[in-house]
Amino acid sequence: MSESTTRDHIVEAADKLFYEQGYEHTSFTHIADAVRISRGNFYYHFKSKDEILDAVINERLANTRSALEQWEAENSKPADRIRCFIQIMINNRDKIKLYGCPVGTLSTELTKLNHASKAGANELFSLYRTWLCRQFMLLGRKADADQLAMHLLARSQGVATLASAFHDEAFIRQEVRILCDWLAGLKEKNS
Amino acid sequence: MSESTTRDHIVEAADKLFYEQGYEHTSFTHIADAVRISRGNFYYHFKSKDEILDAVINERLANTRSALEQWEAENSKPADRIRCFIQIMINNRDKIKLYGCPVGTLSTELTKLNHASKAGANELFSLYRTWLCRQFMLLGRKADADQLAMHLLARSQGVATLASAFHDEAFIRQEVRILCDWLAGLKEKNS
DNA sequence: GACAAATTAGGACGTGCGTCCTAAAAATTG
DNA sequence: CAATTTTTAGGACGCACGTCCTAATTTGTC
């Protein structure tokens, strides 16, 4: 029942490295050095580099799902839940400043590589999209809930991209404030 | 005085390929096939792959500068000039849908690679930033002109990222409409 | 402690990459 | 047309990569 912990270490290290320096640019040697195992040992746990990527994506999907569930469980008001989403930009501001958004940058890279797992990476976006859509519906915006979800996702992506390009942490805080105001303004339009 | 046209062809093909499939993933063979020249011939025109990247960035910088100048020359009102900027998302929607924003995706990639030319790529962002900043100042928003410029840049980046992830062209049009409304609302706050 | 299974180490293999070198071809000049 | 420079072609080189193979080691079981 208990999985080998080495596999988890590999996925964990690959997750971090794929985020920090990109999937293509990360080699087996990089991951091996991080996990402190032999390069040949990989192929006992994974058949290929692509399989590691799939494992990383699946773990990110699982982590995201549980985070969304938690936000939903810990907050009864949909606006507070959405604020949780916005808040992750503040919580992860250090890494965003350096590496951008892990969801957006992976999606962008795999799309350019036309990689087989690009659909899996975009599934991460869909996870947030449908969750946010549901929250906006609960907020009384049934008609344009998905539009609002996409809008908020796009705003977040843009913040991450520019914060990373200019290494500007204050910009993140500023935009988060604007987004919270935008959210507060939305509530007044409840039906 | 007249430069060899081969060099221009190389830069042109590299520009296109770097945009479509990323810098790292584009090899000399790819460019050579596009330009129809021998692989060894590159090193007469460029000493390294990085040098081609610099040439591509410099051309993009020059093209951007002339585009900004033209928008400024053809429109007397700053709001109309800003609308020109927003409008490029419509004009380039086909490519954005497939490959995202050329500025943002290159900046993201070079940042992850920690490439020496990442500063040059970010200079493209700065070009738009300072130009937009100036337009917002002319619009009477002296106090928060740079903030508005960054905000608009971020919104554009987010739109490109999500449009590419979901291959959604309608989303681009939708967000452009919202951005134009946002811009129109700004004008009312003129001092 | 002997045996089997699971796990790891380390290196071999082929491929594609960026780079470099040299000779051929083309263009230019007198 | 000869001489010289500019431009191109094609392949060699070393290196790093993903992949694969096999032997050693560790772990678990009776």
Side-chain angles (χ1 to χ4, degrees), chain B residues 6 37-41 44-45:
Chain B
T6 302
I37 63 169
S38 144
R39 233 173 49 261
N41 191 10
Y44 175 75
H45 300 280

Side-chain angles (χ1 to χ4, degrees), chain B residues 36-54:
Chain B
R36 303 282 212 149
I37 63 169
S38 144
R39 233 173 49 261
N41 191 10
F42 278 102
Y43 288 82
Y44 175 75
H45 300 280
F46 302 95
K47 268 182 267 186
S48 70
K49 192 184 173 187
D50 292 349
E51 229 173 63
I52 300 182
L53 175 60
D54 285 336

Side-chain angles (χ1 to χ4, degrees), chain B residues 64-96:
Chain B
T64 303
R65 268 188 264 265
S66 70
L68 294 177
E69 282 175 20
Q70 194 173 343
W71 294 342
E72 211 159 352
E74 291 177 353
N75 298 276
S76 53
K77 294 187 199 170
D80 289 335
R81 296 170 178 169
I82 297 171
R83 249 185 294 275
C84 285
F85 169 81
I86 298 175
Q87 194 64 22
I88 57 176
M89 288 192 280
I90 299 287
N91 298 341
N92 303 333
R93 62 189 186 278
D94 292 330
K95 293 200 166 184
I96 290 174

Side-chain angles (χ1 to χ4, degrees), chain A residues 19 95-96 99-106 125 156-157 160-161 164, chain B residues 112:
Chain A
Y19 176 38
K95 294 200 166 182
I96 289 174
Y99 315 113
C101 170
V103 180
T105 53
L106 183 66
F125 268 137
S156 313
Q157 283 302 307
T161 301
S164 168
Chain B
K112 294 233 179 200

Side-chain angles (χ1 to χ4, degrees), chain A residues 78-96:
Chain A
D80 290 334
R81 295 170 178 167
I82 297 171
R83 249 185 294 275
C84 286
F85 169 81
I86 297 174
Q87 194 66 22
I88 56 177
M89 286 192 282
I90 298 288
N91 299 340
N92 302 335
R93 63 188 185 279
D94 291 330
K95 294 200 166 182
I96 289 174

